[in-house]
Amino acid sequence: MNNLDEIKARFSKMNDMQQKAVFHTEGPLLILAGAGSGKTTVLVNRIAYIMQAGLAQPWQILAITFTNKAAGELKDRIEAVGGDGADEVWAATFHSTCARILRRYGDRLGFSSHFTIYDTDDSRRLMKEILKQLNIDEKFLPHKTVLNEISRYKDKMKTPKDVRVKAEYDSRLKYIADAYELYQQRMLTSDAMDFDDLICNTVKLFEQNADVLEYYQNRFKYIMVDEYQDTNKSQYRLISLLAAKRNNICVVGDDDQSIYRFRGATIENILSFENEFKGAAVIRLEQNYRSTGTILDAANNVIKNNIERKGKTLWTENPVGEKIVLHTASSEREEAMYVARTILDGVAQGRSFSDYAVLYRMNAQSNAIEQALSRSGIPHRVVGGHRFYDREEIKDMTAYLQVINNPHDDIRLRRIINKPKRAIGDTTMNKAADIAAGLGESIYSVIKHAGDYPTLSRAAAKLEAFALLLDGLVEANESGDYSLAELYNLILEHTDYKNYLIAEKDDYEQRIENIDELSSNIIKFEEDYGDEANLGAFLEEISLMTDIDNYDAETDSVVMMTLHSAKGLEFPVVFIPGMEEGIFPSMQTIIEASELGEERRLAYVGITRAKEKLYLLKTRERMLFGSTTHNRESRFVTEIPSKLVEITGNENTFAAHRFEYQPQQKFDPFAKKAPASKPSSNQYEVGNTVFHKVFGKGMILSVTPMGNDKMLEIAFDKVGTKTLMANFSKMEKLS
């Protein structure tokens, strides 16, 4: 056995198709990886094989994915199996990859290495200012609409000039072109880029600077892209440029999981891969290691109804498993109660709360479910809700850090110049902004010398004092004498921000806790990054962070999130509420075939998140957005063979005709006959000893009447104090 055969033998535990994908290293390769087929395992082992076979040095390998969480997992696993130097593999997201390149060569486009990355909120603030400056009424053209259009044009690599040419006879488009042009000018003056700019500017850098492109083409001998079905046109252009010289491009994806069209992702990138990269090989990974046979059969039967797909059929050696439960509730409130009771029953039988996930089509569905879980004392987290870094006080403190890193960041500077209050109002800042715009400079450059401008004379002392404060903090950062945590404490000390919160905010305790938590995050960042920890790196990490990056599978609580957010995750038990026409598929997607195809792919993603048990839920009537509707069963439910489904709830008497609605039945589907000895909620009193089937034995500390119910505060022996609603609690009173 020669050395190469010995190396290949190390990968013998993988299945045949996985090994084929690992050992196919030269030329374009498309790996069609079905849900749960081990695509990350293939990526990691392919990189390990390339290094161990001596085909490339670790730093010559680029692996791109979409989320920081996925990139982090990829890095950890590569280092675990790759051997020496594996930490030098460039494994990162699209945005962080481009940011890294632009930090080095952004000066070719007029940016410094300290450029700021604007998030959605920053872009909205800037666009609102621009629309005012252009006298464009937001009722006619909302700022969100303008930003969406600009994002769409950037995806197509269209400049404001391109848009203006197209807008010859379209006044609305002309306004968008004007706003787009001014937006880009302001971004350049502020030394800032938005998320779309990171990709577009890297493409522009490569197209305008042959030496830079050649450097990276020579550097990266092997390029791998995960989740290729989620790429847009500018990302495709970026990858094409990088891979053009060596042609060693490997993309991993699943056309059946392309669900981000609303973000600009185009399924055509994966469908046309063989046409764009001549001589490409295609390998299908169809063995699923995640789900039961029943769940996979259901997923296959749903997705086969789509036309735009390359086609594959998932199979598994896992057990057949339990049938899929299709439950019909009377209303969204009873749908939520069913979820809560099913979870409590499962936990009582030995499951963990973290085994359960509730995945919904739209955020509005979460309200009733969250209430039911809260009333039942079930720990839960809503992923995709209010991000930590979106909280007002956190955005204020990170704005200070951003301005210290880049004083020319007008949007962040305007956010903090009067926080805490310094008697510098909007009128003064508008005057400063007008002067800055006229000079083509940043607001910071103007306020630093406010006394030189007559219109700012009355506020000059206050403006220059603020500029002096910033200069001191900038100097402290650049001196190298302070750690990031110490710099953060300097900001708190010199701004007196905590006392500002105490004076201005009713909920200041929680806000101060958040301020302290940010300090903890900074300390942890410094511990993780060591000598490479600097202010710019920290700000870049938090600016590119997504909701799902904060998801921690180790926390024992039920997870609630949208179906879009759940892609890439898996759970033992999954609930999908709202399986009704008009909800899922949504009303907007029913008419157009391509949109409906994406909804079906979203259903496929939802179904394949479940490992052991899947619950599909629907209601006879549902109140949403203030209106009550009576919706037909979702077509995605009817596409699942009846033999795979167990029907419960209001429709359990007509299993053979699931698609037909029957008259409302006059009984409570959730009502269970309690033992005669079990007390009603009105009999709970302070001091009672009770037994809960999940939380165990406890004593009632307080009873607070609330409408037709009572809120009970109970000290449990094993899990501590819980607050439960009496009507939901299902407890036995012991004394």
Side-chain angles (χ1 to χ4, degrees):
M1 183 181 289
N2 61 38
N3 188 47
L4 192 59
D5 289 335
E6 290 177 4
I7 293 171
K8 287 187 174 182
R10 300 171 190 169
F11 302 89
S12 59
K13 291 183 179 180
M14 305 176 75
N15 68 43
D16 291 344
M17 297 309 289
Q18 289 176 330
Q19 289 185 55
K20 188 176 179 182
V22 166
F23 301 144
H24 187 110
T25 58
E26 307 307 305
L29 173 63
L30 168 61
I31 302 174
L32 282 174
S37 62
K39 69 179 180 66
T40 305
T41 297
V42 169
L43 261 181
V44 168
N45 282 280
R46 190 173 190 270
I47 292 169
Y49 173 71
I50 287 171
M51 290 189 294
Q52 292 171 18
L55 301 175
Q57 296 299 318
W59 52 268
Q60 293 178 303
I61 301 170
L62 172 64
I64 297 180
T65 186
F66 270 82
T67 67
N68 290 323
K69 187 178 182 67
E73 180 187 353
L74 201 59
K75 283 180 183 177
D76 292 343
R77 292 179 62 174
I78 290 170
E79 290 177 26
V81 303
D84 293 340
D87 58 337
E88 294 181 28
V89 173
W90 200 338
T93 65
F94 267 104
H95 290 106
S96 58
T97 297
C98 290
R100 188 170 173 183
I101 293 169
L102 291 168
R103 295 283 179 209
R104 182 171 181 178
Y105 291 106
D107 60 318
R108 304 279 187 101
L109 301 176
F111 295 90
S112 78
S113 60
H114 295 288
F115 67 82
T116 295
I117 300 173
Y118 276 5
D119 62 18
T120 304
D121 185 57
D122 299 318
S123 293
R124 287 176 179 172
R125 285 170 178 261
L126 177 56
M127 185 52 67
K128 284 181 178 181
E129 289 182 14
I130 287 170
L131 293 181
K132 281 184 181 178
Q133 186 177 338
L134 294 174
N135 293 316
I136 297 174
D137 189 346
E138 280 225 39
K139 292 180 181 177
F140 168 68
L141 198 58
H143 69 277
K144 289 183 182 179
T145 301
V146 179
L147 286 170
N148 287 338
E149 289 294 305
I150 290 174
S151 180
R152 198 163 58 86
Y153 287 122
K154 286 183 179 180
D155 173 29
K156 297 176 181 178
M157 301 299 297
K158 299 293 185 184
T159 65
K161 185 177 179 181
D162 296 327
V163 179
R164 187 166 283 110
V165 170
K166 186 180 177 182
E168 185 177 0
Y169 302 106
D170 186 338
S171 60
R172 180 177 175 277
L173 200 53
K174 183 179 180 301
Y175 287 132
I176 291 174
D178 291 342
Y180 184 7
E181 184 172 40
L182 188 52
Y183 178 79
Q184 292 305 109
Q185 289 174 1
R186 290 282 299 276
M187 294 285 276
L188 187 60
T189 302
S190 296
D191 197 18
M193 300 185 201
D194 62 22
F195 294 136
D196 293 320
D197 286 329
L198 292 174
I199 309 294
C200 294
N201 284 340
T202 307
V203 172
K204 188 189 299 184
L205 175 70
F206 287 161
E207 291 180 337
Q208 295 178 1
N209 299 271
D211 60 322
V212 178
L213 175 59
E214 186 178 15
Y215 169 79
Y216 285 104
Q217 285 178 336
N218 289 334
R219 170 171 182 149
F220 298 127
K221 191 173 180 181
Y222 292 95
I223 298 171
M224 278 162 266
V225 184
D226 194 11
E227 304 287 7
Y228 190 67
Q229 76 281 346
D230 294 336
T231 55
N232 59 29
K233 292 179 180 178
S234 58
Q235 289 164 336
Y236 161 75
R237 179 66 181 148
L238 175 72
I239 293 302
S240 299
L241 287 167
L242 283 171
K245 186 171 185 177
R246 299 182 184 273
N247 217 27
N248 286 335
I249 173 74
C250 168
V251 302
V252 184
D254 182 2
D255 51 313
D256 290 334
Q257 295 187 71
S258 179
I259 59 173
Y260 294 123
R261 183 175 178 176
F262 67 97
R263 292 182 190 169
T266 172
I267 193 173
E268 285 76 17
N269 284 352
I270 195 167
L271 295 178
S272 63
F273 183 83
E274 296 126 292
N275 294 329
E276 299 297 330
F277 296 91
K278 301 302 180 184
V282 180
I283 296 174
R284 285 174 167 79
L285 304 181
E286 297 175 302
Q287 182 175 359
N288 176 283
Y289 293 92
R290 175 188 299 157
S291 305
T292 65
T294 296
I295 291 169
L296 280 192
D297 283 349
N300 286 331
N301 275 282
V302 170
I303 200 63
K304 73 180 184 183
N305 293 285
N306 266 5
I307 300 170
E308 282 189 324
R309 61 188 299 254
K310 285 185 170 289
K312 61 184 174 307
T313 302
L314 297 184
W315 60 276
T316 186
E317 294 179 348
N318 292 342
V320 173
E322 298 180 58
K323 286 188 175 184
I324 294 166
V325 173
L326 173 62
H327 184 84
T328 304
S330 297
S331 66
E332 76 284 350
R333 185 171 177 273
E334 292 191 345
E335 178 184 63
M337 290 164 61
Y338 175 79
V339 171
R341 287 176 176 169
T342 303
I343 291 171
L344 285 175
D345 288 343
V347 172
Q349 293 166 15
R351 282 200 178 275
S352 300
F353 288 113
S354 57
D355 287 348
Y356 296 91
V358 185
L359 311 179
Y360 33 81
R361 177 62 183 85
M362 57 186 82
N363 280 309
Q365 291 174 258
S366 68
N367 184 40
I369 297 167
E370 193 172 3
Q371 286 186 32
L373 297 185
S374 296
R375 289 172 175 173
S376 300
I378 296 174
H380 59 280
R381 292 168 294 154
V382 180
V383 177
H386 201 49
R387 280 198 329 149
F388 176 75
Y389 286 101
D390 286 339
R391 291 178 168 88
E392 179 188 5
E393 61 278 7
I394 298 303
K395 288 190 78 70
D396 288 347
M397 296 314 300
T398 55
Y400 269 104
L401 292 168
Q402 293 280 12
V403 174
I404 292 167
N405 188 59
N406 171 19
H408 304 292
D409 184 345
D410 288 352
I411 292 297
R412 266 63 175 267
L413 185 142
R414 290 195 68 157
R415 180 184 184 94
I416 59 173
I417 199 164
N418 209 33
K419 285 188 177 181
K421 290 182 178 179
R422 300 182 176 93
I424 302 173
D426 288 341
T427 302
T428 299
M429 290 309 298
N430 289 338
K431 289 176 182 177
D434 289 342
I435 294 169
L439 296 173
E441 295 182 356
S442 67
I443 293 175
Y444 167 76
S445 301
V446 170
I447 66 171
K448 193 171 182 179
H449 306 287
D452 296 345
Y453 306 101
T455 56
L456 297 178
S457 59
R458 292 179 61 184
K462 290 174 284 192
L463 292 171
E464 290 176 358
F466 178 72
L468 195 63
L469 168 66
L470 284 186
D471 288 344
L473 292 169
V474 169
E475 185 178 341
N477 178 45
E478 293 178 348
S479 70
D481 295 335
Y482 298 89
S483 68
L484 284 183
E486 289 169 340
L487 179 67
Y488 180 69
N489 287 332
L490 279 179
I491 297 170
L492 290 173
E493 178 185 339
H494 287 281
T495 62
D496 204 23
Y497 189 83
K498 287 186 178 180
N499 282 330
Y500 156 74
L501 290 178
I502 293 170
E504 296 288 332
K505 306 293 183 182
D506 292 335
D507 56 345
Y508 65 86
E509 297 100 334
Q510 179 63 50
R511 291 173 185 265
I512 289 175
E513 285 179 9
N514 291 335
I515 292 293
D516 292 338
E517 182 64 19
L518 178 57
S519 179
S520 300
N521 290 358
I522 291 172
I523 292 169
K524 185 176 185 299
F525 173 82
E526 291 187 294
E527 291 172 350
D528 291 344
Y529 282 76
D531 294 339
E532 295 181 10
N534 58 60
L535 181 56
F538 174 73
L539 294 172
E540 185 168 306
E541 176 169 282
I542 64 174
S543 68
L544 297 178
M545 191 174 289
T546 61
D547 296 328
I548 204 64
D549 293 326
N550 297 320
Y551 168 63
D552 180 7
E554 300 302 315
T555 304
D556 189 22
S557 64
V558 175
V559 176
M560 297 174 59
M561 64 175 73
T562 64
L563 286 153
H564 282 99
S565 296
K567 192 163 79 68
L569 302 177
E570 59 183 38
F571 307 91
V573 185
V574 168
F575 297 90
I576 305 180
M579 294 299 294
E580 304 149 29
E581 294 287 301
I583 304 294
F584 191 28
S586 65
M587 192 61 71
Q588 303 95 302
T589 63
I590 289 175
I591 301 172
E592 190 177 337
S594 60
E595 294 283 355
L596 184 59
E598 178 134 337
E599 285 288 282
R600 187 173 281 109
R601 291 193 291 272
L602 189 58
Y604 173 82
V605 166
I607 292 169
T608 54
R609 297 313 92 195
K611 296 166 68 175
E612 301 166 17
K613 186 76 175 177
L614 175 64
Y615 293 85
L616 303 178
L617 314 175
K618 58 194 180 77
T619 64
R620 286 192 170 276
E621 67 176 35
R622 179 182 300 275
M623 178 172 281
L624 198 63
F625 307 121
S627 300
T628 300
T629 58
H630 299 79
N631 303 313
R632 286 184 58 114
E633 180 178 82
S634 170
R635 67 192 68 197
F636 305 144
V637 171
T638 64
E639 289 168 356
I640 300 173
S642 297
K643 65 180 182 180
L644 303 178
V645 178
E646 173 191 352
I647 295 179
T648 64
N650 278 354
E651 292 195 57
N652 58 2
T653 58
F654 47 95
H657 304 285
R658 300 201 318 267
F659 57 91
E660 295 181 2
Y661 280 105
Q662 300 296 314
Q664 181 73 46
Q665 298 183 39
K666 304 296 183 181
F667 67 89
D668 178 359
F670 304 101
K672 295 183 179 180
K673 290 185 178 179
S677 60
K678 186 174 179 179
S680 70
S681 63
N682 293 329
Q683 293 175 291
Y684 290 124
E685 296 176 354
V686 174
N688 283 163
T689 302
V690 295
F691 182 81
H692 189 283
K693 67 177 182 179
V694 173
F695 305 131
K697 187 178 178 182
M699 185 175 74
I700 297 177
L701 302 179
S702 68
V703 179
T704 307
M706 297 188 71
N708 295 323
D709 205 346
K710 291 182 178 180
M711 184 172 70
L712 310 176
E713 184 182 11
I714 307 170
F716 289 101
D717 295 343
K718 295 181 180 178
V719 297
T721 302
K722 294 274 186 182
T723 300
L724 308 179
M725 300 306 291
N727 291 342
F728 282 76
S729 59
K730 299 174 67 177
M731 294 184 299
E732 178 184 357
K733 189 168 77 169
L734 301 179
S735 65

